[in-house]
């Protein structure tokens, strides 16, 4: 079945450092891809998405490019802030027989800690 | 505009009891999904509803059930609770399946 693999955390960075969180997927066809972020005690917030190959999703300084050749959707940010400390989840939308499904398959999550 | 509202936020139940969790989606959203989040298994899909019809179901035992009402509000029910059902249960709503889902803050269920 479809699956998503993220790099294991925690990832600890100093403020203003460059961030990369790796995400690769296994799926039949070309699913839509998402990054969600979860702050302590809260639900998930959609960070960005890409729906087809070579699409680049971006939001709040975060970017990720849908690479079908490497089945990857790595999350990047040029300069992290303490407020970016959270758990980040990569996810794909599973393609049903008629593509008519919203089921998301998540990676295990990567904890990011940014120190001042 | 109001986000996805889940009630209650916290719940403590005893093994063998049943529980009902509620989710009010964003106004206009007709698609609602439920997920279970645990430290060991991560985020796992429970069900998906669209216009009162269950469109998809995850790999959970029959003790887990759900429904959606005509106003798009949704409930999930877990019967005969087990210790392993302790988790954060998240509800998410969307305009359509490819818009990206907006999640609620979840219901933290503890089974003792």
């Amino acid at each position: 079945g479809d699956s998503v693999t993220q790099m294991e955390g925690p990832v600890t960075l100093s403020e203003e450092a460059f961030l990369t969180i790796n995400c690769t997927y296994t799926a039949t066809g070309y699913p839509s891809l998402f990054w969600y972020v979860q702050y302590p005690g809260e639900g998930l917030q959609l960070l960005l998405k890409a729906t087809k190959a070579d699409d680049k999703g971006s939001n709040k300084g975060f970017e990720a490019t849908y690479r079908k050749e490497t089945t990857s959707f790595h999350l990047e940010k040029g300069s992290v802030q303490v407020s970016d400390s959270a758990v980040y989840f990569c996810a794909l939308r599973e393609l049903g027989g008629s593509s008519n499904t919203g089921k998301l398959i998540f990676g295990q999550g990567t904890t990011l800690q940014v120190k001042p | 505009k109001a986000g996805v509202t889940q009630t209650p936020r916290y719940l403590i139940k005893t093994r063998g009891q049943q529980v009902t969790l509620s989710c009010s989606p964003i106004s206009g959203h007709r698609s609602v999904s439920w997920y279970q989040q645990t430290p060991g298994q991560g985020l796992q899909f429970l069900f998906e509803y669209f216009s009162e019809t269950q469109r998809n179901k995850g790999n959970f035992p029959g003790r887990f059930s759900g429904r959606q009402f005509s106003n798009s509000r949704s409930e999930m029910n877990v019967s005969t609770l087990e210790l392993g059902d302790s988790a954060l249960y998240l509800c998410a709503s969307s305009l359509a399946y490819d818009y990206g889902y907006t999640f609620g803050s979840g219901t933290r269920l503890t089974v003792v």
Side-chain angles (χ1 to χ4, degrees), chain A residues 56-85:
Chain A
K56 177 185 280 189
S58 62
N59 185 28
K60 299 180 182 179
F62 291 90
E63 292 183 339
T65 301
Y66 190 141
R67 304 281 189 202
K68 69 175 183 178
E69 304 85 5
T70 54
T71 61
S72 65
F73 193 54
H74 304 323
L75 181 69
E76 296 181 337
K77 187 177 186 184
S79 176
V80 294
Q81 305 301 312
V82 173
S83 57
D84 294 326
S85 298

Side-chain angles (χ1 to χ4, degrees), chain A:
Chain A
D2 295 356
S3 66
V4 175
T5 302
Q6 289 180 236
M7 63 186 285
E8 288 194 25
V11 173
T12 302
L13 296 173
S14 298
E15 210 165 21
E16 299 184 2
F18 185 86
L19 168 71
T20 299
I21 300 178
N22 291 336
C23 170
T24 57
Y25 67 89
T26 302
T28 304
Y30 301 108
S32 295
L33 302 174
F34 305 85
W35 276 100
Y36 281 87
V37 58
Q38 186 175 35
Y39 297 98
E42 298 183 14
L44 278 69
Q45 297 178 24
L46 178 63
L47 187 56
L48 52 85
K49 68 171 186 171
T51 57
K52 60 183 187 296
D54 299 326
D55 264 4
K56 177 185 280 189
S58 62
N59 185 28
K60 299 180 182 179
F62 291 90
E63 292 183 339
T65 301
Y66 190 141
R67 304 281 189 202
K68 69 175 183 178
E69 304 85 5
T70 54
T71 61
S72 65
F73 193 54
H74 304 323
L75 181 69
E76 296 181 337
K77 187 177 186 184
S79 176
V80 294
Q81 305 301 312
V82 173
S83 57
D84 294 326
S85 298
V87 182
Y88 292 80
F89 292 92
C90 183
L92 65 81
R93 181 177 74 85
E94 186 182 77
L95 294 175
S98 61
S99 296
N100 199 22
T101 174
K103 176 182 176 181
L104 296 174
I105 295 173
F106 288 89
Q108 284 298 99
T110 301
T111 299
L112 170 65
Q113 183 178 29
V114 180
K115 296 187 173 181

